């Protein structure tokens, strides 16, 4: 679409926003960034998320261009441009079959390139694709880059132990912060683990509106921006799936943390009810995290900043 498209979008925002405050964000691999783009981003205070999957060998395993070449060097060039223009950036990293055993290496790398806000996305894609969350396939084949359930915990456990001892309060890891926010009474920061699917709609270029960015399928199309009253639209279908839990989920000690995970990831049938593929991985990580979360709650109740947990991290780890 090019820079002119986004300039027009900002122009229209300013024309029609009235007293509203609009915040813009863009997710990109950064390979096409140049000085003009950076000047535009800086001028309009646009939040930038950079997609990068770790050091060169890990990133280039699956992040390739149309010539089937790794894109790591191009992404780093884009990051250097952002730094040149003093633009802060977040990072989004896919956890896949190439990098899941290198979680702490990926984390250190992201810190070294200047990321202080990290998001991670666990990858499971199948054939057939999970397009209808009410009619999950009885059998499926995982794609080669997809994780095994326990790989989720393998990736995160060493990161968490280091982060909670040294980096909490300085580096934001969304997958950890969301559980801290929840236990301190502020709700989840990640929709994956909320108890319901809120109206996080997706708007496509032709105006079509879908219930969620994980559900851009015909079944979950709920209108079009040209013809629909968006104030009356609801993510009803995906929310129904979200709130339908298996007996194992309902009896799980971690239900209040997980709430069954994302409907898109619910591809394992349990007595006819779809259950998250990552269940075992989530449980393994929660087993590590919960003692620290409990300590943070106790600190907060004593009016002590929860980040002080780092001072007792070794004691908790020894329990």
């Amino acid at each position: 679409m090019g820079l002119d498209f986004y300039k027009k979008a900002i122009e229209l925002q300013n024309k029609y926003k009235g007293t509203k405050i609009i915040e813009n964000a863009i997710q990109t691999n950064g390979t096409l960034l140049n000085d003009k783009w950076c000047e535009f981003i800086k001028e309009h205070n646009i939040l930038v998320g950079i997609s990068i999957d770790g050091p060169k060998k890990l990133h280039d395993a699956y992040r390739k261009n149309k010539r089937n070449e790794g894109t790591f060097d191009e992404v780093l060039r884009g990051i250097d441009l952002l730094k040149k223009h003093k633009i802060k950036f977040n990072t989004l990293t896919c956890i896949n079959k190439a990098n899941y055993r290198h979680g702490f290496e990926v984390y250190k790398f992201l810190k070294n390139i200047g990321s202080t806000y990290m998001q991670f996305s666990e990858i499971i894609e199948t054939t057939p694709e999970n397009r209808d969350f009410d009619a999950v396939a009885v059998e499926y084949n995982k794609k080669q880059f997809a994780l095994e359930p326990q790989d989720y915990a393998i990736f995160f456990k060493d990161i968490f132990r280091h982060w909670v001892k040294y980096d909490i309060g300085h580096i934001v890891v969304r997958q950890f912060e969301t559980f801290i926010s929840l236990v301190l009474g502020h709700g989840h920061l990640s929709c994956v683990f909320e108890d319901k699917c809120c109206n996080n709609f997706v708007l496509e270029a032709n105006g079509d509106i879908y219930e969620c960015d994980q559900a851009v399928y015909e079944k979950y199309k709920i209108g079009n921006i040209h013809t629909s009253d968006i104030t009356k639209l609801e993510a009803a279908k995906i929310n129904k799936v979200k709130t339908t839990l298996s007996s194992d989920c309902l009896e799980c000690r971690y239900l209040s943390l997980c709430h069954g995970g994302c409907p898109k990831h619910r591809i394992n049938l349990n007595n006819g009810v779809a259950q998250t593929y990552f269940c075992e991985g989530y449980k393994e990580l929660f087993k590590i995290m919960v003692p620290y979360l409990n300590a943070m709650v106790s600190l907060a109740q004593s009016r002590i900043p929860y980040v002080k947990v780092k001072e007792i991290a070794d004691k908790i780890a020894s329990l």
Side-chain angles (χ1 to χ4, degrees):
M1 289 183 283
L3 186 54
D4 288 342
F5 173 89
Y6 292 93
K7 288 181 176 178
K8 184 65 175 179
I10 295 291
E11 178 185 324
L12 291 172
Q13 286 179 354
N14 290 333
K15 181 177 180 180
Y16 294 108
K17 69 180 181 180
T19 59
K20 296 183 178 68
I21 297 174
I22 297 176
E23 296 180 349
N24 292 295
I26 188 168
Q27 187 66 39
T28 175
N29 60 19
T31 59
L32 298 181
L33 286 175
N34 54 34
D35 285 321
K36 287 186 177 180
W37 261 109
C38 288
E39 289 164 3
F40 172 77
I41 290 168
K42 181 81 169 179
E43 177 184 358
H44 298 287
N45 196 31
I46 297 172
L47 177 64
V48 180
I50 293 289
S51 300
I52 186 166
D53 291 348
K56 184 178 178 67
K57 182 179 179 180
L58 302 178
H59 175 91
D60 283 349
Y62 298 120
R63 298 272 191 180
K64 299 181 183 296
N65 59 25
K66 60 184 179 182
R67 297 183 297 278
N68 201 37
E69 300 167 338
T71 58
F72 179 84
D73 292 337
E74 297 171 77
V75 176
L76 261 288
R77 182 197 61 81
I79 290 174
D80 286 342
L81 272 172
L82 293 174
K83 291 178 179 177
K84 170 187 170 184
H85 289 269
K86 296 181 172 55
I87 298 170
K88 291 183 178 181
F89 62 92
N90 300 339
T91 49
L92 174 62
T93 300
C94 289
I95 312 169
N96 54 53
K97 210 60 182 174
N99 65 10
Y100 81 94
R101 288 192 180 276
H102 306 276
F104 190 54
E105 179 185 353
V106 171
Y107 177 74
K108 289 191 296 182
F109 167 79
L110 296 175
K111 283 177 61 177
N112 287 339
I113 64 171
S115 177
T116 58
Y117 189 106
M118 305 174 190
Q119 299 183 71
F120 297 91
S121 180
E122 57 270 34
I123 301 300
I124 174 63
E125 290 191 20
T126 61
T127 304
E129 184 179 1
N130 186 21
R131 302 171 64 93
D132 185 345
F133 306 153
D134 290 308
V136 174
V138 176
E139 297 181 354
Y140 58 80
N141 294 309
K142 299 187 295 293
K143 295 190 177 181
Q144 70 173 74
F145 50 80
L147 297 172
E148 296 297 326
Q150 64 272 21
D151 295 346
Y152 180 89
I154 291 172
F155 181 85
F156 275 121
K157 60 184 181 180
D158 289 338
I159 299 176
F160 178 77
R161 289 182 177 122
H162 177 90
W163 176 83
V164 78
K165 183 176 178 180
Y166 297 107
D167 293 338
I168 186 172
H170 303 290
I171 302 292
V172 174
V173 178
R174 194 182 185 204
Q175 269 74 5
F176 304 154
E177 299 280 358
T178 189
F179 298 112
I180 295 171
S181 177
L182 177 71
V183 299
L184 294 182
H186 307 304
H188 265 304
L189 305 176
S190 170
C191 64
V192 170
F193 299 111
E194 286 191 295
D195 60 352
K196 60 183 178 182
C197 289
C198 299
N199 295 330
N200 297 319
F201 301 145
V202 169
L203 177 65
E204 291 289 278
N206 66 354
D208 285 343
I209 304 170
Y210 295 83
E211 292 192 7
C212 172
D213 66 353
Q214 296 288 343
V216 185
Y217 308 118
E218 190 63 27
K219 177 173 180 174
Y220 301 101
K221 184 170 74 174
I222 53 176
N224 186 284
I225 196 67
H226 299 293
T227 57
S228 303
D229 181 351
I230 61 173
T231 66
K232 297 180 180 179
L233 299 181
E234 297 284 343
K237 291 178 182 177
I238 197 169
N239 192 51
K240 181 181 178 182
V241 176
K242 177 70 170 177
T243 54
T244 302
L245 299 174
S246 71
S247 57
D248 282 0
C249 284
L250 292 172
E251 296 169 5
C252 180
R253 63 186 296 188
Y254 300 119
L255 175 61
S256 62
L257 293 176
C258 171
H259 296 112
C262 178
K264 174 68 173 178
H265 296 158
R266 294 185 187 180
I267 58 175
N268 290 345
L269 289 172
N270 183 331
N271 293 322
V273 181
Q275 187 169 300
T276 180
Y277 173 82
F278 289 107
C279 179
E280 293 308 313
Y282 290 161
K283 286 180 179 178
E284 286 184 40
L285 184 61
F286 294 156
K287 184 178 179 179
I288 294 170
M289 291 184 65
V290 163
Y292 297 89
L293 295 175
N294 289 340
M296 292 182 213
V297 171
S298 295
L299 288 169
Q301 289 173 342
S302 300
R303 299 183 181 276
I304 300 171
Y306 72 87
V307 295
K308 293 289 187 179
V309 72
K310 66 176 63 175
E311 297 177 7
I312 55 173
D314 284 338
K315 182 177 181 180
I316 298 171
S318 67
L319 296 177

